[in-house]
Amino acid sequence: MKMDDEEADLREQIFHNNVREQIIFLLLFILLYLISFTLIEKFRRRDSEDYFTADEDEVKVYRISLWLCTFALAVSLGSALLLPVSIVSNEVLILYPNSYYVKWLNSSLIQGLWNHVFLFSNLSLFVFLPFAYLFSESSGFPGCRGLKGRVYETFIVLALLGIAMLGLAYVISAWIEGDRSGVDALLNLWTYLPFLYSCVSFVGVLMLLVFTPLGFVRLFGVVGGVLVKPQFLRDLNEEYYMYSFEEETIRRRIDNAVATGVCYISPEPMYSDKGDFSEPLDLDVSMCKEKKNAASPGIDKVPLLRLRNGALQAGLNERLQKIVAMRKEVENQRKTSSLQRNVVYPLAMLLLLGLTTITVLMVLQNTLELLIGIKAVPLSTRQFTLGITSLSKMGWAGATLEAFLILYLHAASLTGLSAPLRALRVLPRARRTPLPRIIALAAVMLAHSTAQPLLVKILGITNFDLLGEFGRIEWLGNFRLVLLYNAIFAATVTLCLVSKFTASVRRELYNRLVENVNIVAHCVSFLNN
């Protein structure tokens, strides 16, 4: 009887633990979903072409596709936070092993979190996002219009796309591993989804190899654009007076045109894409360009602002708005305290440089340990228990540094990824991003975030093992691939930083030289006069 009571109590405890974990998963997902929904609401387009339409079916299709994109973005945020949360949880359990408030934090919870993220990443990448795009672009079969017809068309196209992807996965797996080319492997469809995810994660890790070093360099420019530089690096007074003089000059020209009411020739006609509207126009060059454009239409066409129809005055008004905005921005920056300019900016730059240097040194250490044989490849399938030992030799301080470095790597890779997106003109813009672009960006973010734990483990930033299906990705066990990746990453980051600072020093020396030459020229001109 006593044994039955103990068994019943054990089953009841297991049940309550399971219910508690599911509630925690649900609360975390709701939080991430609300954050994702807020981000998408900030960028999605709100006009008659997307949401505000008289067709109720279009509104329903738009909402369903938007919900699926929000779900995928929430999963990507969870994937990006997997390793930092796991590392911090392990250190919290070590510091407070008997605390009542952290008893809910255990290995089963973290393991389940990794498994849920892996499952939902697969579903979002291969089911939800393709369904959202096909559903938004569908129109229904002939004779079956409306929402039901669009659902039928989406499911059929998605099924055909799934068959093509599974066939491609079977061919690739049979090419890589010959023993998987049998009929049994063809019929075992569930094995293809992790394999496809492994391929996508490999592409994502290669993408991070390109964009993360670029992001390290771009972060210095981003921080330099947000913070105000010291006086010896940037003369705000000179910029303010320059914008003020240019603003006054343009206002006088506009007032002169309004007062006289005639077509004026000062300033001269200009090109609309030029920043300096007061630059004189070479008539010979203009005629040559017009003849060239007439001979080869569509090549190097530069719209010339004519004096008729008020084009020149409209161009001056547009330039005036930009100058006023820049003048106000510089005026606000002039009001910043000297402490912020002379202390915060150098500390921020030193912090970025220190974090990047620590990252490179850790990657070099990981490369040497792999070569010597001290550390194994990141492929791991062993059982993990949370709260036993610290992940760093420095204790909780080292683990905190590792979590911060992981977030720093993620920020650097996102900053580097923004460069090609801006070049392709697909970066999201506030309240102007259409639904297809939101779906594409959600897919890119999901592939990027799910490859982030693999990148961190390959580089050896942390000793925390990849849990769940993340640790069973087969290409992580390739020693040569992991070693080559570490070497290329360290070399690329070092070269990017050296070229960045060399170019900055060379540009600064050139600017100082030009200023000195101008000062000498003015002095000579003054003495001659």
Side-chain angles (χ1 to χ4, degrees):
M1 187 69 180
K2 185 177 181 181
M3 295 295 294
D4 294 338
D5 293 339
E6 291 179 355
E7 186 177 354
D9 293 340
L10 181 60
R11 289 199 302 268
E12 183 178 357
Q13 184 179 1
I14 293 174
F15 173 76
H16 287 304
N17 290 337
N18 190 19
V19 171
R20 182 178 65 247
E21 290 177 5
Q22 299 303 324
I23 292 175
I24 293 173
F25 292 152
L26 181 61
L27 293 177
L28 289 175
F29 177 75
I30 291 175
L31 178 61
L32 294 176
Y33 190 90
L34 290 177
I35 296 174
S36 304
F37 184 78
T38 305
L39 290 175
I40 291 181
E41 280 293 311
K42 180 181 179 181
F43 291 105
R44 73 176 180 89
R45 189 170 64 183
R46 302 179 183 181
D47 55 12
S48 59
E49 294 184 8
D50 266 353
Y51 187 75
F52 294 105
T53 177
D55 192 355
E56 295 183 359
D57 292 339
E58 289 289 340
V59 174
K60 292 179 181 179
V61 169
Y62 184 85
R63 286 178 177 175
I64 293 173
S65 301
L66 201 65
W67 293 341
L68 293 176
C69 288
T70 309
F71 182 88
L73 186 58
V75 173
S76 66
L77 290 177
S79 179
L81 296 175
L82 272 179
L83 270 176
V85 170
S86 302
I87 294 172
V88 172
S89 302
N90 182 67
E91 299 303 320
V92 168
L93 285 178
I94 293 175
L95 292 176
Y96 307 101
N98 300 320
S99 177
Y100 175 78
Y101 298 101
V102 295
K103 284 186 177 180
W104 55 273
L105 196 60
N106 50 31
S107 301
S108 177
L109 178 69
I110 300 299
Q111 185 84 27
L113 184 63
W114 282 72
N115 291 331
H116 279 78
V117 169
F118 185 84
L119 175 62
F120 290 143
S121 298
N122 281 277
L123 290 177
S124 300
L125 199 57
F126 299 115
V127 180
F128 293 155
L129 289 179
F131 180 86
Y133 177 75
L134 295 175
F135 194 41
S136 63
E137 297 293 329
S138 62
S139 58
F141 292 113
C144 186
R145 298 291 181 180
L147 187 62
K148 185 181 295 185
R150 299 181 72 164
V151 171
Y152 289 158
E153 179 185 355
T154 303
F155 273 113
I156 291 177
V157 176
L158 187 62
L160 295 175
L161 180 62
I163 293 173
M165 292 300 295
L166 291 177
L168 180 62
Y170 174 75
V171 172
I172 295 176
S173 62
W175 176 58
I176 296 176
E177 300 179 5
D179 55 347
R180 297 187 60 181
S181 59
V183 180
D184 296 336
L186 178 63
L187 297 178
N188 191 9
L189 300 179
W190 182 249
T191 60
Y192 292 120
L193 200 59
F195 179 76
L196 283 174
Y197 185 82
S198 178
C199 296
V200 172
S201 63
F202 181 73
V203 174
V205 168
L206 293 180
M207 180 176 64
L208 293 177
L209 178 62
V210 177
F211 296 135
T212 305
L214 179 62
F216 282 137
V217 177
R218 290 181 59 85
L219 271 177
F220 288 93
V222 172
V223 175
V226 173
L227 300 177
V228 181
K229 296 181 180 180
Q231 184 69 23
F232 66 90
L233 290 178
R234 182 182 181 186
D235 193 350
L236 292 176
N237 294 326
E238 182 180 353
E239 293 184 18
Y240 175 77
Y241 294 138
M242 180 185 66
Y243 290 137
S244 299
F245 292 154
E246 189 170 358
E247 177 186 354
E248 183 66 23
T249 301
I250 296 177
R251 288 186 185 276
R252 287 182 179 180
R253 289 173 174 174
I254 295 176
D255 294 340
N256 185 26
V258 173
T260 57
V262 296
C263 294
Y264 54 94
I265 198 64
S266 179
E268 295 84 357
M270 63 203 132
Y271 294 105
S272 60
D273 58 345
K274 284 188 177 181
D276 188 6
F277 282 159
S278 60
E279 182 178 354
L281 177 68
D282 190 349
L283 296 179
D284 296 334
V285 175
S286 178
M287 294 177 61
C288 292
K289 286 186 177 181
E290 291 181 357
K291 291 179 180 179
K292 181 179 179 181
N293 293 332
S296 55
I299 301 176
D300 296 335
K301 284 190 175 181
V302 180
L304 181 64
L305 293 179
R306 303 293 183 180
L307 294 175
R308 60 177 180 270
N309 299 329
L312 186 59
Q313 186 174 345
L316 286 174
N317 286 320
E318 182 180 355
R319 176 65 177 172
L320 179 62
Q321 293 177 1
K322 295 180 181 179
I323 291 297
V324 170
M326 288 187 288
R327 193 256 305 165
K328 290 181 179 180
E329 181 180 356
V330 174
E331 185 177 2
N332 293 330
Q333 291 177 352
R334 291 176 66 195
K335 298 178 182 179
T336 57
S337 62
S338 59
L339 177 64
Q340 180 181 352
R341 296 179 60 181
N342 299 322
V343 177
V344 176
Y345 180 84
L347 286 180
M349 290 298 169
L350 289 176
L351 179 62
L352 291 179
L353 183 60
L355 291 176
T356 307
T357 305
I358 293 173
T359 304
V360 174
L361 291 178
M362 293 182 70
V363 173
L364 291 176
Q365 179 185 357
N366 183 60
T367 306
L368 293 177
E369 290 179 352
L370 287 173
L371 283 174
I372 297 173
I374 300 177
K375 183 180 289 187
V377 291
L379 184 64
S380 176
T381 57
R382 66 183 180 88
Q383 186 67 26
F384 175 77
T385 303
L386 206 67
I388 301 299
T389 58
S390 179
L391 298 172
S392 176
K393 297 179 181 179
M394 300 171 58
W396 64 269
T400 305
L401 178 61
E402 290 179 0
F404 195 75
L405 284 177
I406 293 172
L407 296 177
Y408 177 64
L409 274 173
H410 194 69
S413 57
L414 285 177
T415 306
L417 182 62
S418 64
L421 294 180
R422 183 180 290 105
L424 296 174
R425 297 182 180 180
V426 295
L427 271 180
R429 294 181 293 176
R431 301 180 182 274
R432 298 178 62 185
T433 308
L435 181 60
R437 188 177 299 177
I438 292 178
I439 297 174
L441 292 173
V444 172
M445 286 295 298
L446 186 60
H448 172 273
S449 299
T450 52
Q452 193 70 27
L454 306 180
L455 171 71
V456 173
K457 192 58 181 176
I458 290 174
L459 298 179
I461 303 298
T462 180
N463 293 324
F464 193 91
D465 290 327
L466 298 175
L467 303 181
E469 298 296 331
F470 283 95
R472 296 184 177 92
I473 296 179
E474 296 180 358
W475 60 267
L476 289 175
N478 193 321
F479 176 78
R480 294 182 179 178
L481 183 63
V482 173
L483 187 63
L484 180 63
Y485 192 94
N486 279 265
I488 293 177
F489 184 87
T492 306
V493 173
T494 304
L495 290 176
C496 288
L497 288 178
V498 170
S499 62
K500 166 69 176 179
F501 286 105
T502 303
S504 300
V505 172
R506 186 168 58 249
R507 183 170 58 252
E508 188 66 25
L509 291 176
Y510 176 77
N511 292 335
R512 297 301 181 187
L513 179 61
V514 170
E515 291 178 1
N516 294 331
V517 170
N518 291 333
I519 292 174
V520 172
H522 285 299
C523 293
V524 172
S525 177
F526 177 76
L527 291 176
N528 291 333
N529 294 330

